[in-house]
Amino acid sequence: MKVELAQIQKELTTADFVVEIDGKVYGEIHVDGDFVTGRGFVVGNYNGTKFQLTPQTLGIIENGKKYKPHTINIDDKLVGGVYQTTVSTGLFSSMDYHYMNLYDKAYELYGIELGKDGFADCLYWHDEQLAEINTDMVIYNDLHHYHIYTKKEDDVLLCVLYCMYMYVLTAFHPNRKVVKSVEKLYCKSTNKKLLAKYNPDFKKEC
């Protein structure tokens, strides 16, 4: 199945998204930004399930290098957390990925830059790929769009949480107001172990 997570508004310190499947809205998300720290606080719902992403130090995740950790609340209960970390892939090489602990299950998201073919974020549980998330190479008026491909409807909320974490981590700037702009992105991953996480046929299976 294909899910669209589309940003529909960006003000100075806020942003809003909708979750759509086959043109029907299944969820709405609001982001509040801290003007001083630049951090983003996410509150939303998907198909009747409420969730929150809150930036803070986590006490429920494994030790190691943690960059910008956030807690995850679902239906007002603390159920996990997400952070960015780094793993060594060789003597002089490493790769970043996002680690999420949700309901005591560990997930990993690998961001792969494909040059002219755009960006693919591949979501894994152990060695099983659950989803691929694509982002647009051209961003108009600071409005971001995530295209989610997954085999199971049960994994949609997981993907939405990851997308919103990526948004507040890299794309949300609460001290910036854009009226009209065009931003073009072009990057190419060269790490062989990272590129091995990408399956070009995965979307055909969804």
Side-chain angles (χ1 to χ4, degrees):
M1 63 185 301
K2 183 180 181 181
V3 181
E4 303 291 345
L5 176 58
Q7 186 176 358
I8 58 173
Q9 179 264 356
K10 169 66 171 71
E11 297 295 337
L12 186 62
T13 60
T14 63
D16 290 289
F17 290 77
V18 293
V19 183
E20 294 184 338
I21 302 175
D22 295 328
K24 182 179 178 180
V25 175
Y26 282 82
E28 298 176 337
I29 304 167
H30 180 74
V31 182
D32 269 314
D34 187 307
F35 191 83
V36 176
T37 65
R39 299 187 301 176
F41 299 78
V42 177
V43 177
N45 73 82
Y46 169 70
N47 208 19
T49 299
K50 298 185 297 182
F51 61 87
Q52 294 175 299
L53 275 171
T54 305
Q56 63 185 61
T57 301
L58 302 178
I60 55 174
I61 54 180
E62 63 188 18
N63 293 327
K65 180 181 178 182
K66 298 181 285 287
Y67 178 65
K68 291 192 175 181
H70 284 55
T71 52
I72 300 172
N73 283 62
I74 293 180
D75 288 333
D76 300 319
K77 294 182 180 179
L78 179 63
V79 296
V82 58
Y83 63 92
Q84 181 176 316
T85 189
T86 301
V87 61
S88 174
T89 58
L91 185 60
F92 300 107
S93 63
S94 63
M95 64 180 180
D96 295 335
Y97 69 95
H98 297 104
Y99 173 93
M100 180 183 290
N101 182 316
L102 191 65
Y103 293 113
D104 295 323
K105 294 181 69 174
Y107 303 91
E108 296 174 353
L109 183 78
Y110 297 89
I112 302 163
E113 299 158 339
L114 300 172
K116 62 181 179 62
D117 293 322
F119 302 89
D121 290 281
C122 300
L123 175 62
Y124 279 84
W125 177 62
H126 297 297
D127 293 326
E128 178 186 359
Q129 184 173 355
L130 303 180
E132 179 179 329
I133 302 166
N134 298 148
T135 52
D136 294 337
M137 294 180 63
V138 182
I139 300 169
Y140 297 94
N141 304 326
D142 202 22
L143 298 178
H144 297 257
H145 200 138
Y146 301 88
H147 313 277
I148 300 168
Y149 299 85
T150 183
K151 298 178 183 179
K152 301 177 183 178
E153 197 278 335
D154 289 344
D155 293 328
V156 172
L157 179 56
L158 175 66
C159 295
V160 169
L161 288 168
Y162 258 122
C163 289
M164 295 311 304
Y165 176 70
M166 289 189 294
Y167 173 73
V168 297
L169 192 70
T170 62
F172 183 55
H173 305 286
N175 56 355
R176 184 176 74 182
K177 170 64 175 176
V178 176
V179 177
K180 188 175 182 180
S181 69
V182 178
E183 183 180 3
K184 297 181 180 181
L185 306 174
Y186 181 92
C187 300
K188 178 71 173 178
S189 297
T190 58
N191 188 298
K192 292 183 179 179
K193 291 189 177 181
L194 180 60
L195 290 171
K197 295 290 184 180
Y198 177 65
N199 175 10
D201 296 321
F202 179 83
K203 289 191 290 186
K204 299 177 184 178
E205 304 169 5
C206 297

